[in-house]
Amino acid sequence: MRAMESLAVRPATRLAQPVVIGHRGAPAYRPEHTAASYQLAIDLGAELIEPDVVVSRDGVLVVRHENELSLSTDVAGRAEYADRRTTKEVDDQVWTGWFAEDFTLAELRTLRAVERMPELRPLNSAYDGHFGILTLGEVISLVRTRSTDDRPIRVLAELKHANWSTEHGLPMAELVAAELRRLDATDASGPVMLQSFEPAVLRDLRARLGESGPEMVQLVDDHGTGDRMVSRSGLREISTYAQAIGPSRDRILGKDGTPSGSTSMLIDEAHRAALSVFCWTLRAENAFLPERLRRGDAPGGLGDALGEARQLLALGVDGLITDSPDHAAQAVAELRIATLV
């Protein structure tokens, strides 16, 4: 398949300039996956907002980081749902809690969002209980409202546990394809891009929605499966159904923040395969930064997130998936100015 044009009708082999992707909105400043978080991400410079998508019991696509709900909602304190607490094995991990697929959308609407990492982001806890759970359709409507001809905003939807969901009677690809058709959001230049760590769901959606369907990002994990994906043959294979790859910042920079020769090779090989490179996930707190970029000893203290963004852009990445879009937007603006001088 011919690699399609990428964001804002830019060449697929390399974006005209890197894009800022608000990871779950702007969760450095507001609880993730809330309307306030998405709106703030756009205000801070994000060109895409990135919701995670799971499925309710009645087959509605809703946005939560995981299908387990207790870390990001108040479900654990809701007596009426105490009997829904259970243990499941999801993608080889055992979880105990409350799961989206055990609730109808109407029941999910009664839950309220809470800060998922209050120990690192205590100020966000002030917003606990203020916002509900959104559907994917509502997030798409939000970006359509905020988009202009001069500044289009798009959704980069991550499909979570797609194979597991399908095996348990909630076919992710079928539901996503139907929802995008309902919303008239199936074009490559439309408001939605799709991403997943699972190639099968992206391939399925490519077959359902066609070569002119939504652009796709193949996320790449840090383990053996990911190693095979970023080989030269793996990248060529990905380019038959996707327009970008999404490696982690550790894969690009190394855990100590020092890139190796293989890093630039990965980016160059991806570009040769007509794939953009979106890097996940930039976070400003010391707990998530390599030692040389930390400032002070507090895990929740802010380190040199701007320096990390600058380093990734200098290596040639095409998009930064970040919890604090303002830092990434500043780094992109600096790069833009530097290229004009």
Side-chain angles (χ1 to χ4, degrees):
M1 149 182 157
R2 178 180 61 83
M4 292 175 289
E5 289 185 333
S6 194
L7 295 176
V9 200
R10 297 167 182 159
T13 52
R14 189 73 185 275
L15 302 185
Q17 65 183 42
V19 292
V20 177
I21 304 160
H23 181 240
R24 311 174 201 165
Y29 310 111
R30 300 290 187 275
E32 65 188 32
H33 292 315
T34 60
S37 189
Y38 295 134
Q39 295 279 12
L40 183 58
I42 296 168
D43 292 340
L44 294 177
E47 295 152 283
L48 295 96
I49 57 174
E50 190 250 17
D52 297 317
V53 178
V54 299
V55 189
S56 71
R57 188 171 72 193
D58 45 351
V60 180
L61 301 169
V62 296
V63 294
R64 288 288 94 191
H65 172 52
E66 294 287 349
N67 56 334
E68 202 289 299
L69 302 168
S70 64
L71 291 180
S72 65
T73 76
D74 63 356
V75 67
R78 303 292 290 273
E80 66 269 35
Y81 298 130
D83 62 347
R84 307 279 179 98
R85 189 172 187 266
T86 188
T87 298
K88 299 186 181 187
E89 183 175 338
V90 181
D91 290 343
D92 299 322
Q93 285 190 301
V94 176
W95 301 79
T96 297
W98 292 259
F99 295 83
E101 63 271 14
D102 296 331
F103 292 75
T104 65
L105 176 63
E107 291 170 331
L108 291 172
R109 294 288 201 196
T110 69
L111 303 179
R112 310 305 292 172
V114 300
E115 170 54 41
R116 195 170 65 89
M117 296 188 288
E119 69 286 356
L120 294 177
R121 295 168 176 170
L123 295 179
N124 283 2
S125 297
Y127 300 97
D128 286 359
H130 287 243
F131 307 105
I133 292 180
L134 299 171
T135 65
L136 175 61
E138 288 167 339
V139 178
I140 294 170
S141 177
L142 183 154
V143 302
R144 281 176 158 157
T145 300
R146 293 296 305 269
S147 290
T148 66
D149 291 341
D150 293 334
R151 189 180 176 225
I153 308 297
R154 302 177 76 186
V155 170
L156 176 58
E158 180 179 347
L159 311 180
K160 301 300 288 280
H161 308 301
N163 295 341
W164 183 90
S165 179
T166 300
E167 290 167 2
H168 288 78
L170 295 167
M172 179 73 82
E174 179 181 329
L175 293 169
V176 170
E179 180 69 348
L180 295 186
R181 289 191 184 104
R182 183 183 75 84
L183 296 168
D184 190 23
T186 59
D187 293 341
S189 59
V192 179
M193 296 179 69
L194 301 170
Q195 67 176 0
S196 178
F197 284 99
E198 302 172 54
V201 70
L202 297 181
R203 289 177 177 276
D204 192 347
L205 281 160
R206 179 59 69 215
R208 290 173 184 272
L209 299 174
E211 292 191 3
S212 60
E215 296 175 332
M216 298 185 184
V217 182
Q218 176 62 65
L219 293 171
V220 178
D221 65 31
D222 289 331
H223 308 296
T225 302
D227 293 341
R228 292 189 292 275
M229 283 184 176
V230 298
S231 67
R232 183 173 293 181
S233 60
L235 292 170
R236 286 200 302 268
E237 178 64 21
I238 290 169
S239 73
T240 65
Y241 61 88
Q243 286 68 48
I245 60 168
S248 72
R249 47 97 41 224
D250 285 352
R251 184 176 282 280
I252 293 178
L253 293 179
K255 289 188 178 297
D256 62 355
T258 304
S260 65
S262 61
T263 293
S264 58
M265 185 179 299
L266 165 59
I267 296 170
D268 290 345
E269 289 291 344
H271 289 157
R272 288 192 189 98
L275 294 168
S276 297
V277 180
F278 293 172
C279 176
W280 55 270
T281 299
L282 280 66
R283 294 184 170 103
E285 291 86 3
N286 286 327
F288 304 110
L289 290 168
E291 186 173 354
R292 67 180 188 80
L293 294 177
R294 295 171 191 164
R295 300 294 180 264
D297 299 323
L302 299 184
D304 186 10
L306 182 58
E308 183 175 55
R310 288 169 176 153
Q311 186 177 16
L312 287 162
L313 294 175
L315 290 169
V317 301
D318 302 287
L320 300 174
I321 301 175
T322 175
D323 282 11
S324 49
D326 48 332
H327 296 134
Q330 181 178 339
V332 170
E334 292 174 354
L335 181 65
R336 184 185 307 122
I337 292 169
T339 58
L340 294 174
V341 173

